[in-house]
Amino acid sequence: MIDKKRMLARCLVSGRVLSPLARIRSACRADIPILAYHRIWDIGDEDRFPFDVELVSAGVADFRWQMEYVRQNFDPITFATLLEIVDGEIPAPARPIIITFDDGFEDNYQHAFPILNALDVPATVFLSTGYIGSDVTFWYDRLAYLLLRAPQGEFAIQTRAGKFQFTNDVKTRRKAIRSVLRELKLMPNHRRLEVLDNLEIGLGQGCGEPPAPESRPMNWNQVREMASAGIEFGSHTVTHPILANLNDDELRFELTESRRTIEEQIGKPVSVISYPVGGRTAFNEHVHEAVKLAGYRLGLSYMPGSNPLRRLDHFGLRRQHVERYTERPYFAAMLGLPEVFQ
Ligand SMILES: [Zn+2]
């Protein structure tokens, strides 16, 4: 299916049909696409990349091309501007779009920020505040690092995923990472960290202190520099849990503490959150209520699609995912015809 859509996107672009179709669509439907990125990194040889390769959304040259495309074809705004539009204070631009980054990897500062700055494209970065300014590797990247470096042989991990047979084959290891990740995402944070600690002890290796340059969270000086240059910041909680699995106290802590920390660090109000993981089971009505109560006005899922401006789902906004394998025609098609290309 993906391959067929990829072919279709190539045909639409090379046949010069995409732009007219997208124009007709946008004339009939006022909406705002939101792009979701994690990391901007040139991975080189994928087999040698020591962290979760699925989190790399684009290499530097592709990201620059994508932002040039956005600059030429859209009116990029922030969520603060979207709220002004929603509140009727200002009219919507002809083709609004929002660029977002989840987690707070340092490469957002190193690689994305100079491009965004040069092209005058605003963006919003969602921070898991427990990691920002620390020497702690994001837990999912720590897992990837450990399993990619595990010695050959059979190894049991304290999850239902059971025993793994590790060979030198990177693909099998990446598959193991995905299946353990699925389980760790469902655990409470303390239990998850316990599993990772035990795994590290069992394998007899550390993740490297301070974190390896290929996977490092931003620090607050970088955040403040970006904020003063017009980059917007939002919450991605403190510890990156699945919000729907938390009890009320944990939920309140994740929502209010992350917001308070960012506001204190950048001196600007925070009114948007992106739900960690963000799929259909990552949030629910109860989470929405807690998010509202904590003072947020908008919440972002990781579900694909666009957002109709007149019927905006304030706490279930959708995003189009950019992946390292997203080809240029597909990127254009994802923005022009979001119902077809997700
Ligand atoms: Zn995340």
Side-chain angles (χ1 to χ4, degrees):
M1 190 62 179
I2 297 282
D3 276 344
K4 278 188 188 158
K5 284 193 176 178
R6 199 176 287 165
M7 289 302 293
L8 180 60
R10 286 183 199 161
C11 292
L12 289 175
V13 170
S14 64
R16 298 178 190 276
V17 185
L18 181 72
S19 300
L21 279 179
R23 263 199 301 278
I24 294 168
R25 180 192 170 276
S26 71
C28 309
R29 180 184 299 225
D31 70 344
I32 179 160
I34 304 173
L35 286 179
Y37 288 90
H38 284 94
R39 312 194 52 188
I40 306 301
W41 192 273
D42 289 326
I43 48 176
D45 180 357
E46 193 172 315
D47 283 357
R48 299 175 78 92
F49 186 67
F51 291 96
D52 187 354
V53 76
E54 301 304 326
L55 289 175
V56 176
S57 313
V60 175
D62 277 334
F63 181 70
R64 184 176 294 112
W65 181 88
Q66 289 162 3
M67 291 304 104
E68 282 166 357
Y69 185 87
V70 161
R71 186 25 90 212
Q72 280 159 18
N73 294 280
F74 288 87
D75 304 302
I77 61 170
T78 59
F79 288 100
T81 304
L82 177 61
L83 284 169
E84 286 182 303
I85 294 167
V86 168
D87 291 342
E89 291 168 14
I90 55 168
R95 297 201 68 187
I97 188 170
I98 300 181
I99 314 299
T100 71
F101 293 84
D102 277 6
D103 301 340
F105 280 94
E106 193 181 46
D107 56 67
N108 296 177
Y109 172 80
Q110 292 168 325
H111 298 154
F113 177 47
I115 293 170
L116 294 165
N117 217 1
L119 294 171
D120 195 23
V121 172
T124 308
V125 182
F126 293 96
L127 302 174
S128 289
T129 54
Y131 289 90
I132 304 305
S134 79
D135 280 346
V136 180
T137 308
F138 287 108
W139 69 259
Y140 30 86
D141 252 1
R142 186 173 166 213
L143 172 75
Y145 187 87
L146 288 171
L147 294 193
L148 286 171
R149 293 192 167 216
Q152 290 191 57
E154 193 174 74
F155 196 84
I157 300 171
Q158 298 161 296
T159 64
R160 280 178 305 172
K163 288 188 174 162
F164 291 93
Q165 192 68 44
F166 288 128
T167 62
N168 270 339
D169 178 38
V170 179
K171 284 197 178 60
T172 336
R173 289 183 184 234
R174 296 227 186 261
K175 211 168 140 198
I177 293 167
R178 283 198 293 277
S179 73
V180 179
L181 252 183
R182 264 196 299 278
E183 290 206 42
L184 290 192
K185 278 176 181 173
L186 300 175
M187 290 178 185
N189 193 48
H190 68 273
R191 171 84 187 108
R192 181 164 48 224
L193 296 180
E194 214 173 272
V195 172
L196 285 171
D197 285 345
N198 288 338
L199 183 63
E200 193 171 315
I201 293 164
L203 295 174
Q205 57 182 318
C207 199
E209 293 286 341
E214 291 97 334
S215 176
R216 202 160 25 208
M218 264 183 233
N219 65 47
W220 288 110
N221 283 336
Q222 293 164 338
V223 171
R224 278 188 290 270
E225 186 185 331
M226 289 169 86
S228 62
I231 301 293
E232 182 178 50
F233 286 90
S235 164
H236 199 46
T237 72
V238 179
T239 67
H240 204 280
I242 291 187
L243 294 173
N245 295 346
L246 302 183
N247 67 35
D248 285 351
D249 285 344
E250 291 166 336
L251 191 53
R252 202 174 310 119
F253 169 76
E254 293 287 346
L255 300 177
T256 54
E257 181 61 16
S258 53
R259 181 164 182 254
R260 188 196 63 75
T261 307
I262 303 170
E263 288 184 339
E264 194 179 279
Q265 291 286 348
I266 65 172
K268 291 180 184 175
V270 168
S271 50
V272 198
I273 183 166
S274 113
Y275 313 130
V277 184
R280 201 170 290 281
T281 53
F283 58 96
N284 53 30
E285 269 308 308
H286 184 63
V287 169
H288 286 177
E289 285 311 311
V291 165
K292 261 185 248 179
L293 210 64
Y296 295 96
R297 292 195 57 201
L298 297 169
L300 277 72
S301 77
Y302 200 65
M303 296 194 301
S306 193
N307 305 282
L309 274 173
R310 266 182 230 100
R311 288 174 291 106
L312 206 61
D313 183 357
H314 287 226
F315 293 97
L317 292 172
R318 290 173 177 265
R319 293 188 282 177
Q320 294 287 68
H321 313 160
V322 186
E323 312 286 0
R324 69 192 189 289
Y325 43 80
T326 303
E327 294 179 351
R328 291 175 182 187
Y330 202 92
F331 181 84
M334 237 167 53
L335 293 179
L337 302 171
E339 288 81 5
V340 183
F341 298 94
Q342 299 189 339

